[in-house]
Amino acid sequence: MVNGICGGTVYFLPDVPTVVGRSAECHVQIADPWISSMHALFERRGGDLWVVDLDSRNGTFVDGERVHETSVRAGMRLRFGKTEAELRAGGEVAEPRAIIQGESTVIRYLADLVGRQQPAAAPSERPGVVLPMPRRGPSDITVSARRQIQVINEIGRISTSNTSLDETLRLILRTLSASVGAEAASVLLLDERGEMVPHAVEPAGAEPRVSATVVQAALRARAGILTFDAQQDQRFSQSQSVISQGIRSCMCAPIWAENRILGALLLDRSYTEPFTAEDLELATLVGFQAAMAVDRARLADRTRAADEQKQRLLRHLAPGATAALVGLDADRDLLAPGLRSEAAVLGVALVDLAALVAARPPDEVAARVLAAQEAVRALLLEEGAAVDVRMTGGVVAVFGLLHTDPQAGERALRCAAAVRDRVTALEAERPEPRLGLCAGVEVGPVLAGNFGEVERPELRAVGAAVEAALRLAASAERGQVMAGPQMAQRAGPGFELGPPGRAGARRLVAAPR
């Protein structure tokens, strides 16, 4: 994944059909609101890999072109909605599935640790492979198991503490490094560009000693790899980083969650005594634990983003509408900016603010203005309008922003009278001078929706109807509700309007309850 909420994550595509989408039922789940619940499908057709769009809302693109289905190959750039991905060759694992490979390298396959490995072949069927020596006694097993339990328990405690992701990874790395006696260690995570970036280093403050050759070998094989002497190992001895950094015994364990590679743990020693196979198994297990910590941190980030999104939307929408939008149950983006041809706009202005400021204490003025604004806002939200409370004391409401509403104009005009009466009642028992309210209503085309990002929505409404409603409110007298010419034509028989005035605007005399 090149960008987006799962940026840097590597997904492995099996030979069976693989569904990509937002739903938890998908093989590759990407919690991106621009991705449909069931967005696209990868499948094999003969020797070719195909991608099929599953009628997604925002489309599937291959090398910039929207497709319904097409064959794909390594090197192609794919996009699901706004999430981009790069297709890469998986890299066949040529080594036999053994713990000890030759005499210089130990491989611990991730599949072995989650019970997916098939029974091993007999030694006679595996020429050239040296299998691990059986343990010498139950005491050795007890010591190894005890160390694993102690480290995993400590890492579990660290992972559930209320710390940042980088601090959690630093503590995990310190625990593992101390247990295996590493001289230097790093935690690397894949970033949005698919590159390995250090997030924690031991000793703290040291320059990370990273061998891309060793890391890539572990990721390609989907295995923890231990080399007893990287300077002599033919796999790594030509690596400039191995040579220049004096790396000898080296371990790399992928940070792995299900079929996703998130990063890697890299530990090394430059002195004679090498790591052991038990050290590698422990590091590989810790890789799983680190993946859980990364997933928890990213889930927490998504939860925080959803909370922030909800709070931003609650400034403008009723809680019920906000919950539906944040849940993103629908495949159609209801907040996508678009032209609402028959929206109704209500502009509200508080009057006599200057007189109130001159006559009353500042804290009283602030409390009364906020109370009036909140009363207007609450009533309009109850009626399903999208509301924007302004610093000037005024309020703008749009009816028909989320859904087409043939009655939007009449609802806006009726609400204008209701908010005027509510503010009048609110101020009736307070000392003079008292706040008043005037309003303007107009219908017509409005460009409205989220002008910000999906995670940081900013609702906006612009257009002639918005400007007209604000002008009408600004020019109205205290207590007046003015209907623009388009609104006046659409007002139902229950509304009583005065004679046309300037530019065809008419005063609301009475509105149906």
Side-chain angles (χ1 to χ4, degrees):
M1 310 310 297
V2 177
N3 65 3
I5 205 162
C6 293
T9 303
V10 176
Y11 293 92
F12 291 95
L13 302 180
D15 289 334
V16 297
T18 303
V19 177
V20 178
R22 199 176 65 247
S23 170
E25 298 177 359
C26 294
H27 304 91
V28 175
Q29 183 187 12
I30 304 174
D32 186 332
W34 293 93
I35 289 180
S36 297
S37 298
M38 299 284 185
H39 194 104
L41 168 75
F42 286 99
E43 64 179 359
R44 289 282 182 185
R45 298 182 184 177
D48 297 329
L49 179 66
W50 281 66
V51 64
V52 180
D53 183 74
L54 300 177
D55 296 325
S56 63
R57 178 185 70 210
N58 292 314
T60 299
F61 298 79
V62 176
D63 287 343
E65 294 187 7
R66 188 165 185 166
V67 300
H68 174 64
E69 64 175 30
T70 186
S71 61
V72 291
R73 61 184 182 276
M76 285 185 167
R77 185 62 72 94
L78 291 81
R79 177 159 59 86
F80 310 105
K82 290 190 174 182
T83 296
E84 295 184 4
E86 182 179 299
L87 195 63
R88 299 179 182 175
E92 295 297 326
V93 180
E95 299 85 354
R97 281 182 173 268
I99 298 297
I100 296 186
Q101 178 68 33
E103 297 181 354
S104 59
T105 303
V106 177
I107 299 176
R108 193 62 167 108
Y109 287 95
L110 299 171
D112 299 345
L113 295 180
V114 291
R116 293 196 295 257
Q117 186 187 14
Q118 298 299 319
S124 60
E125 300 172 5
R126 316 275 291 270
V129 174
V130 180
L131 295 179
M133 294 295 292
R135 300 190 184 275
R136 297 183 177 180
S139 61
D140 291 331
I141 298 175
T142 304
V143 170
S144 177
R146 184 183 298 118
R147 182 176 68 152
Q148 287 188 5
I149 292 170
Q150 288 174 343
V151 171
I152 297 303
N153 282 346
E154 176 62 16
I155 288 175
R157 186 191 63 78
I158 292 169
S159 298
T160 56
S161 61
N162 187 23
T163 57
S164 66
L165 175 59
D166 282 356
E167 177 64 12
T168 298
L169 293 176
R170 186 184 69 80
L171 293 173
I172 289 174
L173 187 65
R174 174 173 292 181
T175 301
L176 174 61
S177 183
S179 179
V180 301
E183 181 181 338
S186 303
V187 175
L188 313 175
L189 293 182
L190 285 161
D191 67 6
E192 292 185 352
R193 297 167 296 178
E195 298 178 358
M196 284 288 189
V197 177
H199 278 250
V201 177
E202 277 293 319
E207 287 294 320
R209 299 204 317 201
V210 177
S211 170
T213 307
V214 176
V215 172
Q216 289 304 317
L219 299 187
R220 282 197 306 271
R222 278 180 272 178
I225 290 182
L226 158 62
T227 177
F228 294 119
D229 190 343
Q231 302 287 333
Q232 302 299 321
D233 193 319
Q234 291 184 358
R235 294 171 174 226
F236 314 123
S237 59
Q238 301 305 310
S239 168
Q240 290 300 313
S241 57
V242 168
I243 297 170
S244 63
Q245 296 178 93
I247 297 174
R248 299 197 73 87
S249 186
C250 177
M251 287 193 300
C252 183
I255 296 175
W256 166 274
E258 297 175 341
N259 68 332
R260 299 172 295 129
I261 291 287
L262 306 180
L265 297 165
L266 191 63
L267 305 98
D268 68 78
R269 292 172 174 171
S270 59
Y271 48 84
T272 306
E273 184 179 354
F275 294 117
T276 66
E278 286 79 8
D279 293 334
L280 177 61
E281 180 157 331
L282 177 60
T284 309
L285 289 170
V286 170
F288 281 100
Q289 298 294 313
M292 293 169 61
V294 172
D295 274 345
R296 273 194 294 267
R298 290 178 175 173
L299 176 61
D301 288 343
R302 290 196 294 270
T303 301
R304 280 193 294 271
D307 288 342
E308 290 178 5
Q309 183 188 46
K310 183 176 180 180
Q311 292 306 314
R312 285 173 176 270
L313 291 176
L314 281 172
R315 295 183 342 214
H316 307 287
L317 300 172
T322 297
L325 289 170
V326 172
L328 293 163
D329 295 327
D331 274 348
R332 185 168 65 88
D333 184 4
L334 299 178
L335 283 181
L339 190 64
R340 276 62 171 176
S341 59
E342 287 297 316
V345 183
L346 165 60
V348 174
L350 294 178
V351 296
D352 290 339
L353 277 170
L356 185 65
V357 169
R360 308 301 302 173
D363 56 346
E364 179 188 330
V365 173
R368 288 170 66 174
V369 171
L370 286 175
Q373 284 183 317
E374 184 55 31
V376 172
R377 175 178 174 273
L379 189 151
L380 295 173
L381 288 177
E382 289 173 6
E383 291 294 324
V387 182
D388 181 24
V389 177
R390 302 200 160 193
M391 291 183 65
T392 57
V395 177
V396 176
V398 180
F399 294 79
L401 183 146
L402 297 181
H403 305 280
T404 301
D405 182 2
Q407 304 300 317
E410 293 186 359
R411 289 172 58 214
L413 201 56
R414 187 173 61 252
C415 284
V419 296
R420 175 197 60 194
D421 296 344
R422 181 168 291 191
V423 170
T424 300
L426 190 67
E427 286 284 302
E429 302 300 325
R430 292 177 175 171
E432 294 185 349
R434 298 189 177 98
L435 289 173
L437 181 148
C438 53
V441 182
E442 185 58 297
V443 297
V446 172
L447 179 63
N450 178 18
F451 282 37
E453 300 175 357
V454 175
E455 296 82 2
R456 298 180 65 82
E458 292 292 343
L459 293 190
R460 295 287 185 271
V462 296
V466 179
E467 296 174 2
L470 292 173
R471 283 199 304 271
L472 289 168
S475 61
E477 296 179 4
R478 181 188 179 97
Q480 283 187 340
V481 174
M482 301 300 296
Q486 299 301 319
M487 179 65 253
Q489 291 179 15
R490 292 168 171 77
F495 293 92
E496 182 181 348
L497 302 178
R502 186 173 59 182
R506 301 175 67 178
R507 182 173 63 87
L508 177 67
V509 177
R513 292 290 181 181

